[in-house]
């Protein structure tokens, strides 16, 4: 499968300066992809971009990955209805360190060069910037950009010169990378299209040379219409301290049938025959969620490694009743403790006290209501009576749950 064919099949083709996506097959490209560093961790939205980069590298193209140590100090106004609060240099430096670590882990085994645009931007002379970069941008073109026009239009919040000049700063990156490394292709997400094209235009005007841009679509949750990985509870992070490997694994297991095939193409390195086989099996019995489980396995392996994948799978099996809590090794017990409450009690404790102490009920009256409604299970079986029994404990522990929700569980230990 040629690069253009794989990019199209995986759903990575959006806007481009090429006449046809097949034009990308005509040469070996030196490309760069810039990443925002306004947080110290990537999200699953950023992960789509990294998987996009992987496809290009697998096809033999030379990759430069750019951490936005300078541009993140300014803040990209794209997609924002109001001015971003500026972050300090130390915070951005910490963020750069965090995302670079994640990038290197995810791209293990891939050949790429990591750069930080602060390295060439921090000593830029303002007069040189105005003459060498600003001179090539017309105000009419800049004012017509969607995010600028919206902020300046009726009801808009306005825009500072700092954010207004963001496009020029990013364009300067492309020009610098063209001059120093011969980079002639910038890739990014579709919301960066105008910024990317600004760099290609600058190279054309300042160097009388041709550079190209290719963007991939933002991944959208078909069920909610929001950016994929965003929820009422917040973003799904790649940092295990922000989103635990088990929560990360569960996020993928819980994706809906409408999106699972697309996500297998975007977020895994499985080829077409493998994904076709997975989807055929899935369609035969969707209730088994075999496609979602394979998706969760593949993505968790890429982001968190095999050891954390095994723990996430085991914790999930325990919390869904497939594996008894009695046989858990310490790493799994520690992981469970990050997902659900863990409490100590006596072998014949009152169940209402256990439910309240664990936070599964807000009061004894609510606990009694749950018990009366047969909504409480112990080790996967309906609770009988109002007290725990010594035989309920297996190796000194048991799992109590209200309802069916994964999160509404508690581990009870003697």
């Amino acid at each position: 499968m040629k690069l253009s064919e794989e990019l199209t099949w995986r759903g990575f083709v959006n806007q481009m300066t090429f006449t046809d996506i097949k034009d990308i097959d005509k040469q070996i490209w030196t490309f760069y992809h810039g990443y925002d560093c306004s947080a110290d961790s990537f999200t699953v939205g950023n992960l789509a971009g990294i998987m996009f980069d992987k496809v290009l590298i697998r096809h033999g193209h030379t990759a430069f990955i750019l951490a936005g140590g300078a541009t993140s100090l300014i803040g990209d106004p794209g997609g924002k209805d109001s001015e971003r609060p500026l972050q300090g240099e130390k915070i951005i430096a910490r963020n750069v360190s965090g995302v670079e670590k994640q990038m290197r882990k995810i791209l293990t085994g891939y050949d790429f060069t990591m750069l930080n645009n602060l390295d060439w931007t921090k000593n830029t002379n303002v007069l040189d910037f105005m003459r060498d970069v600003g001179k090539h941008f017309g105000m009419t073109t800049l004012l017509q950009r969607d995010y600028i026009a919206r902020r300046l239009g009726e009801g808009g919040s306005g825009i500072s010169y700092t954010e207004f000049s963001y496009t020029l700063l990013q364009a300067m990156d492309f020009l610098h990378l063209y001059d120093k490394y011969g980079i002639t292709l910038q890739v990014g997400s579709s919301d960066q299209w105008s910024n990317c094209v600004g760099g290609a235009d600058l190279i054309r005007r300042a160097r009388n040379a041709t550079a190209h841009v290719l963007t991939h679509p933002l991944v959208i949750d078909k069920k909610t219409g929001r950016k994929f990985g965003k929820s009422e509870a917040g973003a799904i992070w790649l940092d295990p301290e922000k989103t635990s490997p088990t929560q990360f694994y569960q996020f993928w297991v819980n994706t809906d049938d409408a999106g699972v095939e697309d996500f297998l193409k975007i977020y895994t390195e499985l080829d077409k025959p493998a994904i076709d086989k997975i989807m055929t099996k899935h369609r035969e019995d969707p209730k088994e969620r075999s496609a979602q489980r394979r998706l969760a396995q593949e993505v968790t392996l890429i982001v968190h490694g095999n050891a954390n994948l095994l723990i996430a799978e085991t914790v999930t099996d325990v919390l869904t009743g497939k594996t008894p809590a009695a046989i858990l090794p310490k790493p799994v017990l520690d992981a469970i403790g990050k997902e659900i409450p863990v409490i100590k009690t006596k072998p014949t404790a009152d169940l209402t006290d256990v439910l309240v102490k664990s936070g599964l009920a807000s009061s004894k009256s609510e606990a009694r209501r749950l018990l009366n409604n047969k909504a409480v299970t112990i080790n996967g079986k309906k609770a009988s009576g109002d007290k725990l029994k010594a035989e309920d404990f297996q190796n000194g522990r048991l799992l109590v749950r209200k309802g069916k929700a994964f999160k509404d569980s508690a581990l009870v230990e003697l």
Side-chain angles (χ1 to χ4, degrees):
M1 189 181 288
K2 293 182 179 179
L3 174 59
S4 62
E5 294 170 338
E6 184 171 356
L7 289 173
T8 302
W9 171 70
R10 291 191 184 273
F12 279 139
V13 178
N14 193 250
Q15 308 112 309
M16 63 185 128
T17 54
F18 299 110
T19 303
D20 188 286
I21 188 57
K22 293 179 182 178
D23 292 343
I24 204 169
D25 300 323
K26 295 179 179 179
Q27 69 178 73
I28 297 298
W29 297 91
T30 301
F31 75 94
Y32 94 94
H33 192 162
Y35 287 88
D36 178 65
C37 297
S38 57
D40 61 357
S41 172
F42 286 135
T43 68
V44 296
N46 302 120
L47 180 59
I50 303 172
M51 301 306 289
F52 179 38
D53 298 333
K54 280 189 170 187
V55 176
L56 291 164
I57 299 171
R58 282 202 303 271
H59 282 266
H61 302 281
T62 303
F64 285 79
I65 306 299
L66 180 65
T71 40
S72 298
L73 286 167
I74 301 302
D76 183 359
K80 303 296 179 182
D81 293 324
S82 60
E83 196 85 6
R84 285 180 186 233
L86 292 178
Q87 294 181 306
E89 291 183 20
K90 289 183 178 180
I91 293 175
I92 295 299
R94 180 204 66 190
N95 294 349
V96 168
S97 177
V99 300
E100 281 189 353
K101 183 178 178 181
Q102 290 177 352
M103 183 69 75
R104 293 186 189 281
K105 182 177 181 180
I106 295 167
L107 288 178
T108 297
Y110 282 77
D111 189 19
F112 69 100
T113 301
M114 195 87 203
L115 300 173
N116 181 346
N117 60 12
L118 186 62
D119 292 340
W120 59 82
T121 305
K122 60 185 176 183
N123 296 321
T124 299
N125 182 293
V126 65
L127 292 176
D128 291 340
F129 176 73
M130 292 295 188
R131 290 174 62 88
D132 297 339
V133 178
K135 185 68 175 176
H136 296 288
F137 285 82
M139 288 297 296
T140 301
T141 302
L142 291 172
L143 289 170
Q144 288 175 344
R145 299 226 162 133
D146 289 345
Y147 64 87
I148 293 177
R150 185 172 61 252
R151 294 268 289 272
L152 293 177
E154 185 176 351
S157 63
I159 188 169
S160 69
Y161 179 76
T162 298
E163 288 198 355
F164 181 81
S165 63
Y166 180 91
T167 293
L168 278 68
L169 201 60
Q170 185 169 321
M172 186 175 72
D173 286 342
F174 202 171
L175 180 63
H176 171 84
L177 295 171
Y178 169 81
D179 287 341
K180 186 167 185 178
Y181 300 105
I183 293 174
T184 54
L185 173 64
Q186 182 179 180
V187 300
S189 57
S190 59
D191 58 349
Q192 290 297 307
W193 169 251
S194 60
N195 291 328
C196 295
V197 169
D201 285 344
L202 178 60
I203 290 170
R204 177 176 57 83
R205 294 172 185 274
R207 300 292 184 266
N208 193 30
T210 299
H212 285 284
V213 173
L214 173 65
T215 66
H216 66 85
L218 293 174
V219 185
I220 302 298
D221 188 326
K222 293 180 179 179
K223 191 173 182 180
T224 65
R226 292 192 293 261
K227 283 185 182 180
F228 188 58
K230 301 285 186 180
S231 68
E232 293 179 3
I236 305 300
W237 301 93
L238 306 193
D239 184 341
E241 297 301 318
K242 294 176 180 289
T243 300
S244 73
T246 299
Q247 292 167 344
F248 188 83
Y249 178 87
Q250 274 294 310
F251 169 77
W252 298 102
V253 168
N254 290 326
T255 54
D256 59 73
D257 288 346
V260 68
E261 183 173 6
D262 289 342
F263 302 149
L264 281 165
K265 293 176 182 178
I266 293 169
Y267 287 103
T268 80
E269 296 175 71
L270 298 172
D271 60 17
K272 189 176 187 302
I275 291 177
D276 287 345
K277 185 176 180 180
I278 291 167
M279 292 309 302
T280 297
K281 181 180 178 182
H282 173 74
R283 293 183 184 106
E284 289 171 354
D285 190 358
K287 291 181 181 179
E288 284 295 311
R289 302 185 71 76
S290 58
Q292 282 89 345
R293 289 201 307 275
R294 184 62 183 277
L295 172 66
Q297 290 168 348
E298 293 289 334
V299 187
T300 306
L301 180 63
I302 289 170
V303 174
H304 294 298
N306 189 60
N308 283 315
L309 168 60
L310 293 175
I311 290 173
E313 288 182 307
T314 304
V315 171
T316 299
D317 286 346
V318 170
L319 296 180
T320 54
K322 294 180 180 179
T323 298
I327 62 174
L328 302 181
K330 189 177 185 303
V332 177
L333 285 172
D334 292 342
I336 283 181
K338 296 179 181 180
E339 307 301 329
I340 62 173
V342 179
I343 66 168
K344 298 282 187 180
T345 191
K346 295 179 180 179
T348 57
D350 192 301
L351 252 176
T352 57
D353 290 336
V354 170
L355 290 169
V356 172
K357 186 178 180 180
S358 65
L360 297 182
S362 59
S363 64
K364 284 194 172 185
S365 60
E366 184 189 0
R368 285 191 289 268
R369 179 180 60 77
L370 290 169
L371 290 168
N372 290 336
N373 290 338
K374 306 294 183 182
V376 178
T377 61
I378 297 172
N379 295 330
K381 298 179 181 179
K382 295 288 184 183
S384 60
D386 56 4
K387 287 184 178 294
L388 294 176
K389 303 179 183 67
E391 57 265 30
D392 291 331
F393 289 89
Q394 303 169 351
N395 199 20
R397 64 180 74 101
L398 61 80
L399 191 73
V400 62
R401 171 180 292 162
K402 68 170 183 181
K404 297 181 179 180
F406 171 106
K407 62 183 178 181
D408 292 331
S409 305
L411 188 67
V412 182
E413 298 180 326
L414 292 176

